[in-house]
Amino acid sequence: MKNETEEKLARSLTAETTELLPFLPYLLQDLWELGSSPKDMIRLIKEYMPISDDTKILDLACGKGAVSINIAKSLNINVYGFDLIPDFIEFANQKAKELNVESLCHFMLGDVNEVVDTEKDYDCVIFGAAGNVLGNPKETLIKLLKTVKPQGFILIVEAYLPNESSDMEIKYDNYKYLTHEQWLRLFVDCGLKLMEEVTSIEEIEEHDFDSDNKAIAARADELISKYPEKRAIFEGYIQSQLNECADLENTVVGVTWMLQRL
Ligand SMILES: C[S@@+](CC[C@H](N)C(=O)[O-])C[C@H]1O[C@@H](n2cnc3c(N)ncnc32)[C@H](O)[C@@H]1O
């Protein structure tokens, strides 16, 4: 894997160093959802997309498949998920079996930067909480657009700065956030119509970050006992998790956008 891909992969999961990559499946073993809200996605798909037996959805950087599997289960739609972490793909396939949606769920190992060149004609592409792995926001939207049919949809989970003159401190500083206005301009430039925006304010109240962080911290402690020489990187990971949550609570706005290709 290229260095840049590895670095972005680590950062997409809030890891500041690629040294953490082999430990991420262990640290995240108690979580299924890794960023996006399956509930919001299902509601948006139901509301805006015409659904038939032929409908197919592409889930790029699908993590452990929480979004795709829930969509398959609730809406009986074929989903194709790609991720770069083998343990996540294995977990997703296992979970799809457990929930009896394995015939609808197709999870594969792959770099989304390559997948966007081969996967075409989807009714909808999902890109959930994966940061800059496809490039900057404009590059990301252009790559996502290549995978959907005309009139197809993009569901993207992102975070934006509330306003231009925002001088608030961004604690998790590996990712450069755009303002809301800059995103809206980008949608117009890319030929995308904003159908609906769901901000994470309610989600944050609903989602128990605390218990996620506690679970990760407990796993990090286990790893510290096993690899005491790596204490600093595990403690660093716990801190990055806390910083990211603090940003989402105080500084940036987490958002899910439902967009349609014009
Ligand atoms: C924060 S998680 C989000 C997972 C999922 N979309 C969700 O919302 O639950 C980011 C995911 O991006 C994946 N990822 C990062 N770089 C990638 C790449 N180049 N190709 C495929 N997946 C990648 C990571 O393995 C991780 O599962």
Side-chain angles (χ1 to χ4, degrees), residues 5 8-9 12-13 32-36 59-64 66-67 82-85 88 110-113 127-130 133:
T5 310
K8 286 184 173 176
L9 170 62
S12 78
L13 286 159
W32 186 22
E33 294 176 17
L34 297 177
S36 314
D59 186 357
L60 294 176
C62 63
K64 298 188 188 181
V67 168
F82 291 86
D83 202 278
L84 211 41
I85 296 193
F88 288 3
D111 180 343
V112 291
N113 284 288
F127 189 61
V133 306

Side-chain angles (χ1 to χ4, degrees), residues 41 44-45 48-49 57-58 60 122-128 134 137-149 151-158 183 187 190-196 256-262:
M41 299 274 188
L44 290 166
I45 291 169
Y48 295 100
M49 274 180 58
I57 293 186
L58 178 64
L60 294 176
Y122 281 85
D123 298 282
C124 175
V125 60
I126 296 174
F127 189 61
L134 288 175
K138 185 164 190 176
E139 289 161 349
T140 300
L141 292 178
I142 290 170
K143 286 183 184 173
L144 294 177
L145 271 165
K146 293 200 294 183
T147 65
V148 291
K149 297 174 177 166
Q151 318 300 318
F153 294 85
I154 294 179
L155 258 170
I156 182 166
V157 178
E158 258 297 340
W183 274 107
F187 297 155
C190 292
L192 286 163
K193 181 175 175 199
L194 175 56
M195 310 301 286
E196 192 175 327
T256 304
W257 281 305
M258 179 69 166
L259 305 159
Q260 186 170 24
R261 181 177 160 186
L262 295 174

Side-chain angles (χ1 to χ4, degrees), residues 220-221 223-225 227-237:
D221 281 342
L223 289 174
I224 290 170
S225 310
Y227 308 98
E229 72 286 2
K230 293 193 195 293
R231 170 182 282 275
I233 63 162
F234 298 131
E235 286 180 349
Y237 190 64

Side-chain angles (χ1 to χ4, degrees), residues 209-254:
F209 283 122
D210 230 34
S211 76
D212 286 355
N213 287 336
K214 277 189 189 135
I216 294 170
R219 296 299 179 183
D221 281 342
E222 291 169 10
L223 289 174
I224 290 170
S225 310
K226 204 164 169 198
Y227 308 98
E229 72 286 2
K230 293 193 195 293
R231 170 182 282 275
I233 63 162
F234 298 131
E235 286 180 349
Y237 190 64
I238 300 171
Q239 192 54 50
S240 318
Q241 288 292 324
L242 294 173
N243 288 350
E244 196 188 49
C245 294
D247 280 347
L248 281 168
E249 273 165 21
N250 310 316
T251 323
V252 295
V253 182

Side-chain angles (χ1 to χ4, degrees), residues 31 70 117 121 124 128 152 157 168 175 215-216 232 256:
L31 280 61
N70 278 296
D117 289 329
D121 291 326
C124 175
V157 178
M168 289 180 278
Y175 188 71
I216 294 170
T256 304

Side-chain angles (χ1 to χ4, degrees), residues 28-44:
L28 297 169
Q29 66 182 286
D30 306 304
L31 280 61
W32 186 22
E33 294 176 17
L34 297 177
S36 314
S37 151
K39 196 179 90 200
D40 287 344
M41 299 274 188
I42 290 167
R43 207 236 335 126
L44 290 166

